[in-house]
């Protein structure tokens, strides 16, 4: 296993260490688990495409590009609203 040095603010390191400790993990183990669970942008796009294809196969759902953009805009609006609460 390769070691890596990462420079982050002390507050961020302390927060990550506290989260890791609360889960019974070392900071190293927590970061390794986090890296395994996060998706890259390409992986997220692939999953989204597979979900879109599954919906189309299942019920014929096939939004146009314009409809997809409208849905993305609505999702962004709702997320911003939820963050503002």
């Amino acid at each position: 296993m390769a070691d890596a040095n990462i420079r982050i603010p002390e507050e961020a390191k302390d927060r990550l260490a506290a989260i890791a400790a609360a889960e019974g993990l070392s900071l190293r183990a927590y970061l390794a688990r986090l890296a395994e669970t996060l998706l890259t942008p390409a992986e997220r796009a692939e999953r989204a495409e597979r979900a879109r294809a599954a919906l189309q196969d299942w019920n014929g759902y096939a939004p146009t590009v314009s409809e997809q953009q409208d849905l993305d805009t609505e999702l962004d609006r709702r997320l911003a609203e939820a963050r503002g609460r």
Side-chain angles (χ1 to χ4, degrees):
M1 181 182 314
D3 283 338
N5 291 320
I6 301 170
R7 297 181 59 81
I8 61 173
E10 189 73 24
E11 299 81 23
K13 180 192 140 300
D14 292 345
R15 179 174 172 78
L16 289 169
I19 294 167
E23 295 189 24
L25 298 170
S26 67
L27 180 55
R28 176 188 216 145
Y30 179 77
L31 291 173
R33 187 180 76 181
L34 183 63
E36 291 172 2
T37 61
L38 295 175
L39 299 175
T40 66
E43 291 167 333
R44 283 194 306 273
E46 180 184 338
R47 281 193 181 186
E49 178 55 30
R50 285 197 324 253
R52 188 207 55 74
L55 283 170
Q56 186 172 359
D57 289 347
W58 177 58
N59 67 5
Y61 179 73
T64 65
V65 171
S66 177
E67 290 169 330
Q68 287 180 19
Q69 289 171 341
D70 290 345
L71 291 167
D72 286 345
T73 299
E74 178 62 11
L75 178 59
D76 290 343
R77 185 192 68 74
R78 289 182 185 199
L79 289 171
E81 181 181 304
R83 280 191 293 263
R85 290 183 185 171

mmCIF file of all heavy atoms in Angstrom, residues 19-20 22-38:
data_model
loop_
_atom_site.group_PDB
_atom_site.id
_atom_site.type_symbol
_atom_site.label_atom_id
_atom_site.label_comp_id
_atom_site.label_asym_id
_atom_site.label_seq_id
_atom_site.Cartn_x
_atom_site.Cartn_y
_atom_site.Cartn_z
ATOM 1 N N ILE A 19 -14.732 12.205 12.659
ATOM 2 C CA ILE A 19 -15.737 11.370 11.985
ATOM 3 C C ILE A 19 -15.249 9.929 11.931
ATOM 4 O O ILE A 19 -15.998 8.991 12.227
ATOM 5 C CB ILE A 19 -16.032 11.914 10.572
ATOM 6 C CG1 ILE A 19 -16.714 13.280 10.663
ATOM 7 C CG2 ILE A 19 -16.889 10.931 9.783
ATOM 8 C CD1 ILE A 19 -16.766 14.029 9.338
ATOM 9 N N ALA A 20 -13.984 9.750 11.579
ATOM 10 C CA ALA A 20 -13.413 8.402 11.508
ATOM 11 C C ALA A 20 -13.460 7.725 12.870
ATOM 12 O O ALA A 20 -13.880 6.560 12.987
ATOM 13 C CB ALA A 20 -11.971 8.471 11.000
ATOM 14 N N ALA A 22 -15.427 8.304 15.358
ATOM 15 C CA ALA A 22 -16.814 7.998 15.735
ATOM 16 C C ALA A 22 -17.301 6.714 15.069
ATOM 17 O O ALA A 22 -18.203 6.052 15.580
ATOM 18 C CB ALA A 22 -17.722 9.172 15.369
ATOM 19 N N GLU A 23 -16.694 6.364 13.947
ATOM 20 C CA GLU A 23 -17.059 5.134 13.243
ATOM 21 C C GLU A 23 -16.104 3.990 13.573
ATOM 22 O O GLU A 23 -16.160 2.926 12.958
ATOM 23 C CB GLU A 23 -17.101 5.391 11.733
ATOM 24 C CG GLU A 23 -18.197 6.372 11.355
ATOM 25 C CD GLU A 23 -18.413 6.480 9.863
ATOM 26 O OE1 GLU A 23 -18.080 5.536 9.140
ATOM 27 O OE2 GLU A 23 -18.919 7.528 9.431
ATOM 28 N N GLY A 24 -15.215 4.237 14.536
ATOM 29 C CA GLY A 24 -14.287 3.194 14.955
ATOM 30 C C GLY A 24 -13.176 2.925 13.957
ATOM 31 O O GLY A 24 -12.633 1.823 13.916
ATOM 32 N N LEU A 25 -12.842 3.935 13.160
ATOM 33 C CA LEU A 25 -11.827 3.775 12.127
ATOM 34 C C LEU A 25 -10.688 4.757 12.346
ATOM 35 O O LEU A 25 -10.876 5.834 12.920
ATOM 36 C CB LEU A 25 -12.424 4.042 10.738
ATOM 37 C CG LEU A 25 -13.544 3.126 10.267
ATOM 38 C CD1 LEU A 25 -14.182 3.689 9.001
ATOM 39 C CD2 LEU A 25 -13.013 1.725 10.025
ATOM 40 N N SER A 26 -9.521 4.382 11.851
ATOM 41 C CA SER A 26 -8.428 5.342 11.796
ATOM 42 C C SER A 26 -8.729 6.309 10.652
ATOM 43 O O SER A 26 -9.554 6.017 9.769
ATOM 44 C CB SER A 26 -7.102 4.631 11.528
ATOM 45 O OG SER A 26 -7.099 4.081 10.215
ATOM 46 N N LEU A 27 -8.050 7.433 10.667
ATOM 47 C CA LEU A 27 -8.233 8.387 9.571
ATOM 48 C C LEU A 27 -7.843 7.747 8.250
ATOM 49 O O LEU A 27 -8.534 7.902 7.241
ATOM 50 C CB LEU A 27 -7.419 9.656 9.826
ATOM 51 C CG LEU A 27 -7.500 10.745 8.765
ATOM 52 C CD1 LEU A 27 -8.942 11.150 8.490
ATOM 53 C CD2 LEU A 27 -6.677 11.946 9.189
ATOM 54 N N ARG A 28 -6.773 6.981 8.236
ATOM 55 C CA ARG A 28 -6.322 6.301 7.023
ATOM 56 C C ARG A 28 -7.404 5.338 6.506
ATOM 57 O O ARG A 28 -7.721 5.329 5.317
ATOM 58 C CB ARG A 28 -5.029 5.547 7.304
ATOM 59 C CG ARG A 28 -4.540 4.753 6.149
ATOM 60 C CD ARG A 28 -3.359 3.889 6.559
ATOM 61 N NE ARG A 28 -2.441 3.825 5.462
ATOM 62 C CZ ARG A 28 -1.151 3.770 5.567
ATOM 63 N NH1 ARG A 28 -0.582 3.779 6.750
ATOM 64 N NH2 ARG A 28 -0.402 3.696 4.498
ATOM 65 N N ALA A 29 -7.970 4.526 7.390
ATOM 66 C CA ALA A 29 -9.006 3.565 6.989
ATOM 67 C C ALA A 29 -10.262 4.287 6.515
ATOM 68 O O ALA A 29 -10.897 3.879 5.543
ATOM 69 C CB ALA A 29 -9.342 2.626 8.142
ATOM 70 N N TYR A 30 -10.607 5.384 7.191
ATOM 71 C CA TYR A 30 -11.795 6.142 6.799
ATOM 72 C C TYR A 30 -11.622 6.729 5.399
ATOM 73 O O TYR A 30 -12.522 6.643 4.565
ATOM 74 C CB TYR A 30 -12.075 7.249 7.814
ATOM 75 C CG TYR A 30 -13.270 8.080 7.449
ATOM 76 C CD1 TYR A 30 -14.560 7.605 7.648
ATOM 77 C CD2 TYR A 30 -13.120 9.345 6.883
ATOM 78 C CE1 TYR A 30 -15.667 8.363 7.295
ATOM 79 C CE2 TYR A 30 -14.213 10.101 6.538
ATOM 80 C CZ TYR A 30 -15.488 9.607 6.740
ATOM 81 O OH TYR A 30 -16.582 10.361 6.380
ATOM 82 N N LEU A 31 -10.462 7.318 5.126
ATOM 83 C CA LEU A 31 -10.225 7.910 3.812
ATOM 84 C C LEU A 31 -10.193 6.843 2.718
ATOM 85 O O LEU A 31 -10.698 7.071 1.610
ATOM 86 C CB LEU A 31 -8.936 8.725 3.815
ATOM 87 C CG LEU A 31 -8.985 10.015 4.642
ATOM 88 C CD1 LEU A 31 -7.613 10.655 4.705
ATOM 89 C CD2 LEU A 31 -10.022 10.973 4.111
ATOM 90 N N ALA A 32 -9.640 5.677 3.024
ATOM 91 C CA ALA A 32 -9.635 4.587 2.044
ATOM 92 C C ALA A 32 -11.066 4.143 1.742
ATOM 93 O O ALA A 32 -11.426 3.930 0.579
ATOM 94 C CB ALA A 32 -8.804 3.409 2.558
ATOM 95 N N ARG A 33 -11.889 4.016 2.784
ATOM 96 C CA ARG A 33 -13.287 3.627 2.575
ATOM 97 C C ARG A 33 -14.035 4.707 1.800
ATOM 98 O O ARG A 33 -14.812 4.413 0.888
ATOM 99 C CB ARG A 33 -13.980 3.370 3.914
ATOM 100 C CG ARG A 33 -15.391 2.801 3.734
ATOM 101 C CD ARG A 33 -16.060 2.553 5.045
ATOM 102 N NE ARG A 33 -16.497 3.834 5.582
ATOM 103 C CZ ARG A 33 -17.108 3.966 6.750
ATOM 104 N NH1 ARG A 33 -17.323 2.924 7.515
ATOM 105 N NH2 ARG A 33 -17.498 5.152 7.155
ATOM 106 N N LEU A 34 -13.788 5.952 2.113
ATOM 107 C CA LEU A 34 -14.428 7.062 1.405
ATOM 108 C C LEU A 34 -14.067 7.031 -0.078
ATOM 109 O O LEU A 34 -14.938 7.180 -0.941
ATOM 110 C CB LEU A 34 -14.000 8.392 2.033
ATOM 111 C CG LEU A 34 -14.627 9.660 1.483
ATOM 112 C CD1 LEU A 34 -16.129 9.665 1.724
ATOM 113 C CD2 LEU A 34 -13.988 10.872 2.123
ATOM 114 N N ALA A 35 -12.794 6.795 -0.374
ATOM 115 C CA ALA A 35 -12.356 6.745 -1.772
ATOM 116 C C ALA A 35 -13.024 5.603 -2.528
ATOM 117 O O ALA A 35 -13.308 5.717 -3.716
ATOM 118 C CB ALA A 35 -10.839 6.605 -1.837
ATOM 119 N N GLU A 36 -13.296 4.500 -1.840
ATOM 120 C CA GLU A 36 -13.954 3.357 -2.481
ATOM 121 C C GLU A 36 -15.425 3.620 -2.767
ATOM 122 O O GLU A 36 -15.998 3.015 -3.669
ATOM 123 C CB GLU A 36 -13.831 2.114 -1.599
ATOM 124 C CG GLU A 36 -12.430 1.578 -1.490
ATOM 125 C CD GLU A 36 -12.313 0.469 -0.454
ATOM 126 O OE1 GLU A 36 -13.332 0.092 0.164
ATOM 127 O OE2 GLU A 36 -11.183 -0.014 -0.259
ATOM 128 N N THR A 37 -16.056 4.506 -1.992
ATOM 129 C CA THR A 37 -17.498 4.714 -2.126
ATOM 130 C C THR A 37 -17.879 5.884 -3.025
ATOM 131 O O THR A 37 -19.003 5.927 -3.516
ATOM 132 C CB THR A 37 -18.156 4.930 -0.745
ATOM 133 O OG1 THR A 37 -17.600 6.091 -0.128
ATOM 134 C CG2 THR A 37 -17.940 3.724 0.148
ATOM 135 N N LEU A 38 -16.966 6.817 -3.237
ATOM 136 C CA LEU A 38 -17.280 7.967 -4.086
ATOM 137 C C LEU A 38 -17.147 7.589 -5.555
ATOM 138 O O LEU A 38 -16.291 6.798 -5.926
ATOM 139 C CB LEU A 38 -16.352 9.139 -3.765
ATOM 140 C CG LEU A 38 -16.495 9.736 -2.379
ATOM 141 C CD1 LEU A 38 -15.444 10.810 -2.158
ATOM 142 C CD2 LEU A 38 -17.886 10.303 -2.172
#
